[in-house]
Amino acid sequence: MNKTSVLFVCLGNICRSPTAHAVFQSMVQTRALAEQVTVDSAGTGDWHLGHAPDRRTSAVAAERGYPMDDLRARLVEPGDFEQFDYIVAMDEENLANLRAMCPADYHGNLGLFLDYSVNPEYADTNAVPDPYYGGDNGFTLVLDLVEDASAGLLDHIAAQL
Ligand code: 4NP
């Protein structure tokens, strides 16, 4: 049985990537793929190491039934490129930081999360916008974008299992 591992990456690992982690994990469980697909998240910045997700993030996620109580921020580390088949960046800046760390012999898929969007409404959007310094609407938009791209990414992975 093939197994696939997915790492979601943003800047602080307290807003966007934990949202993706929780939503994608929930979809994996709903589709009974937990034995085959493993999920984690990390950040490229070290301000919030060990912290739980931002309260605004966990509040909107809880409204849609995605628990994230167990998540804690960590940094992307070199070993992640040995462990993860998919390393998925929330925006171009995260992707550039990951490319700078990525070993030349990495054989996985390093790319942008929104490349897996399915809703045509998001066809021209290539970044999950950083909500940290903005209002509550930003956190809802993160969740909308993450739900859509998670469905697309899981379809893509499930087709190859
Ligand atoms: P995230 O959001 O990258 O989606 O977790 C941020 C969280 C914290 C900061 C920036 C972005 N910060 O500058 O502390």
Side-chain angles (χ1 to χ4, degrees), residues 65-132:
Y66 303 112
M68 42 173 68
D69 297 346
D70 296 340
L71 305 186
R72 296 291 179 271
R74 74 165 177 90
L75 273 176
V76 179
E77 52 194 33
D80 290 328
F81 293 93
E82 289 160 30
Q83 192 181 336
F84 288 95
D85 301 305
Y86 287 81
I87 299 182
V88 184
M90 296 294 136
D91 64 27
E92 294 280 5
E93 182 190 353
N94 309 148
L95 184 58
N97 287 330
L98 288 164
R99 284 203 173 117
M101 298 177 68
C102 185
D105 62 353
Y106 178 57
H107 288 308
N109 301 272
L110 172 60
L112 282 175
F113 189 29
L114 294 196
D115 284 349
Y116 297 97
S117 292
V118 287
N119 185 340
E121 196 184 328
Y122 303 136
D124 294 333
T125 310
N126 71 355
V128 182
D130 181 348
Y132 190 67

Side-chain angles (χ1 to χ4, degrees), residues 9-19 43-44 47-48 54 56-57 90-91 94 128-133 139 142:
V9 177
C10 64
L11 184 57
N13 192 210
I14 56 167
C15 299
R16 293 167 292 173
S17 61
T19 301
T44 61
W47 307 281
H48 301 282
D54 186 285
R56 299 164 294 177
T57 291
M90 296 294 136
D91 64 27
N94 309 148
V128 182
D130 181 348
Y132 190 67
Y133 292 108
F139 291 85
V142 166

